[in-house]
Amino acid sequence: MELILRGLSHKTAPVDVRERLAFSDQETAAALAELNLDPAVSEAVLFSTCNRVEVLLAGEDAKALEEAALDVLCRVKNIPLSDFAPYLYRYQGDDAFRHVFRVAGSLDSMVVGEPQILGQVKKSFRAAVAAQSSGVVLNRLLHRAFSTAKRVRKETGIGGHAVSVSFAAVELAKRIFGELSGKKVLLIGAVEMAELAVEHLMHNRAEKLMVANRTLDRAAALAERFGGTAIGFSEIGEALKTADIVISSTGAPGYVLKKDDVKAVMRPRKNRPLFFIDIAVPRDIDPSINKLDNAYVYDVDDLAGVVEKNMAERMKEAARAEVIVEEAVISYRRWFDSLEVVPTIKALCDRMEAVRLAELQKSLPGLKNLGDEEREAIDRLTRAIMAKVVHGPIVFLKSEGHRQAKKRDYIGAARDMFQLDEDEKDENGQ
């Protein structure tokens, strides 16, 4: 059995190539249906996100699998191979296992540690299951990828440092206020990045949102989305008396808020801290406001500095995550190799012997009147029963009448039915 992965990603291909090769849900279903008909392909999964397109195949002939992967990309997308061949990568065997685990664990993402990729990998797997193109080998690989990604997030801090401007704004707000619960937010302007920052703030239990926008309809729509209040630009000064956090993102050519505007409201505010996040370029908030007591202004460069520092922290955590990935590769390789008949039969016999001995240890101490001959007779009897029980499955697994792909399905089913991989699952907390 061979595993081959062919594809391209943000690391190898520019966006104009990736967008031409991106698969819709319908195209993914069509591609998997075609691969199901290919006699060289035993199992198939196709990953398509904004940053990658990959075909993962299992079968007996690596060269035939590679041809099948490239062929389906060309046919379904109607693109000649020469248009994207320079951007392709190829992984086989352990390298393919490792790549899938790294992708699911967000170690191969454009933003390392981002959480969306795991959901996208799960979606691809569901599509393969729906198309009946995955089987015992890829099912196991993807489930191992999911558990590896879970370990990466649980055991490292890879997702714990803000690496977007909107998240960084929330992190800075927490440094100032400690707890955001009950804080009032004033949003001036309403570009998408500011909306994301508001969304994160509200998710962190900020209490109230006021939205000021030159277009009142836009302000009202955004306020309604977060259960807030729309106000006019002329009401900003009054809103500053109660707000704790101000996010500004207008397209104004000059400052929307100047030092005197803020100075005028600090006395009514009784000098409570006021935090400004200026996402606009040109800037909306006069930086000299920072000179006022309890007023804090951060612009996009300040936020970018936080993002850069946090990205460095994530890369340190990524090194720890790579160790988890390597453990998963070794574990999966061990299981993959066990999909041969002989290791499975040995594991089956070992399992049955362990059960037999455990039952004897439980029962014999209660039979104190038994002599040595009777104990040996019981031992022979239980061995004979065990041999009878495993004889049928062993003959079936050894049968030469099965197609190779089908035989692996049977071996996988036998390993599941007799719980031959339970020790391995326990080691990985599954």
Side-chain angles (χ1 to χ4, degrees):
M1 173 69 76
E2 299 285 353
L3 248 71
I4 292 286
L5 184 143
R6 293 305 310 261
L8 51 78
S9 74
H10 62 98
K11 291 185 173 179
T12 62
V15 65
D16 60 310
V17 174
R18 301 201 306 272
E19 66 189 7
R20 287 183 67 198
L21 213 57
F23 279 66
S24 66
D25 292 347
Q26 292 75 20
E27 288 170 332
T28 298
L32 294 175
E34 284 202 24
L35 291 167
N36 275 342
L37 297 175
D38 191 324
V41 178
S42 300
E43 301 181 33
V45 176
L46 190 150
F47 307 102
S48 181
T49 72
C50 58
N51 285 326
R52 71 183 65 250
V53 175
E54 296 172 340
V55 183
L56 175 64
L57 302 178
E60 298 303 322
D61 185 335
K63 186 178 179 183
L65 292 175
E66 195 165 338
E67 290 172 354
L70 299 180
D71 193 42
V72 79
L73 290 174
C74 294
R75 277 206 316 275
V76 175
K77 297 304 297 183
N78 195 26
I79 300 174
L81 178 60
S82 57
D83 281 14
F84 61 91
Y87 309 103
L88 287 168
Y89 44 73
R90 174 186 184 279
Y91 294 111
Q92 181 174 355
D94 286 10
D95 291 335
F97 310 159
R98 184 177 295 104
H99 180 74
V100 173
F101 297 156
R102 293 187 79 252
V103 168
S106 78
L107 294 170
D108 198 58
S109 295
M110 185 176 286
V111 178
V112 172
E114 54 90 7
Q116 288 82 13
I117 185 63
L118 180 57
Q120 292 167 331
V121 173
K122 287 183 175 179
K123 181 183 176 186
S124 299
F125 177 57
R126 287 196 295 271
V129 171
Q132 298 184 323
S133 66
S134 66
V136 63
V137 173
L138 295 190
N139 287 351
R140 183 78 173 207
L141 181 72
L142 270 297
H143 281 294
R144 178 52 55 89
F146 303 152
S147 63
T148 301
K150 186 177 176 182
R151 280 193 65 198
V152 165
R153 297 202 77 78
K154 185 177 179 182
E155 298 178 22
T156 75
I158 199 167
H161 301 279
V163 291
S164 71
V165 168
S166 51
F167 267 118
V170 174
E171 188 170 300
L172 283 174
K174 284 183 175 178
R175 288 183 195 174
I176 292 172
F177 295 109
E179 176 61 51
L180 298 184
S181 176
K183 299 302 178 212
K184 298 178 178 61
V185 180
L186 169 61
L187 177 63
I188 304 175
V191 300
E192 183 180 1
M193 196 180 297
E195 282 189 52
L196 285 172
V198 168
E199 190 171 335
H200 297 321
L201 287 168
M202 302 310 285
H203 183 69
N204 279 272
R205 303 172 67 185
E207 180 184 285
K208 182 181 178 182
L209 173 67
M210 296 173 282
V211 183
N213 197 56
R214 295 193 188 281
T215 307
L216 199 56
D217 289 347
R218 172 72 175 142
L222 190 58
E224 183 180 2
R225 179 181 161 196
F226 292 104
T229 306
I231 62 173
F233 253 55
S234 60
E235 299 174 275
I236 289 176
E238 192 63 24
L240 285 175
K241 294 178 182 177
T242 59
D244 299 295
I245 300 167
V246 179
I247 303 174
S248 192
S249 62
T250 75
Y255 296 143
V256 173
L257 286 177
K258 297 181 179 177
K259 184 179 178 182
D260 288 344
D261 299 325
V262 178
K263 187 177 180 180
V265 301
M266 292 310 281
R267 181 182 292 274
R269 291 178 55 82
K270 298 180 180 176
N271 283 319
R272 286 185 296 109
L274 185 53
F275 175 48
F276 295 90
I277 304 169
D278 189 354
I279 300 177
V281 178
R283 289 177 291 180
D284 284 342
I285 312 295
D286 182 354
S288 67
I289 291 172
N290 255 327
K291 296 178 180 176
L292 298 172
D293 289 341
N294 294 317
Y296 307 91
V297 179
Y298 290 89
D299 59 28
V300 287
D301 283 354
D302 296 321
L303 296 172
V306 172
V307 169
E308 187 176 343
K309 181 181 175 186
N310 287 349
M311 182 57 81
E313 290 297 323
R314 281 201 177 191
M315 295 314 294
K316 290 181 185 174
E317 296 299 320
R320 295 176 57 204
E322 297 285 5
V323 175
I324 294 173
V325 166
E326 286 307 310
E327 290 175 3
V329 170
I330 293 169
S331 177
Y332 184 77
R333 165 54 70 183
R334 192 186 306 146
W335 176 84
F336 190 79
D337 290 342
S338 75
L339 284 180
E340 299 299 330
V341 171
V342 172
T344 298
I345 290 175
K346 182 179 183 307
L348 175 59
C349 293
D350 290 346
R351 175 76 174 168
M352 296 302 291
E353 177 66 4
V355 171
R356 188 184 76 85
L357 292 176
E359 293 303 314
L360 285 176
Q361 285 178 358
K362 281 196 294 185
S363 302
L364 288 179
L367 302 172
K368 296 179 180 176
N369 296 326
L370 290 180
D372 290 342
E373 289 187 6
E374 286 136 326
R375 288 176 182 271
E376 288 175 6
I378 290 175
D379 188 71
R380 286 196 300 275
L381 173 66
T382 54
R383 286 182 188 279
I385 293 172
M386 186 190 80
K388 291 284 185 185
V389 169
V390 299
H391 177 72
I394 289 174
V395 170
F396 181 79
L397 292 174
K398 283 183 172 178
S399 171
E400 297 296 331
H402 307 312
R403 287 176 55 224
Q404 195 62 25
K406 209 66 178 172
K407 176 172 279 189
R408 285 202 165 78
D409 287 344
Y410 295 146
I411 292 172
R415 300 191 73 86
D416 286 341
M417 279 192 297
F418 291 100
Q419 301 180 320
L420 303 185
D421 300 305
E422 287 304 296
D423 291 343
E424 182 192 343
K425 287 182 180 179
D426 290 342
E427 286 174 14
N428 290 282
Q430 296 177 37

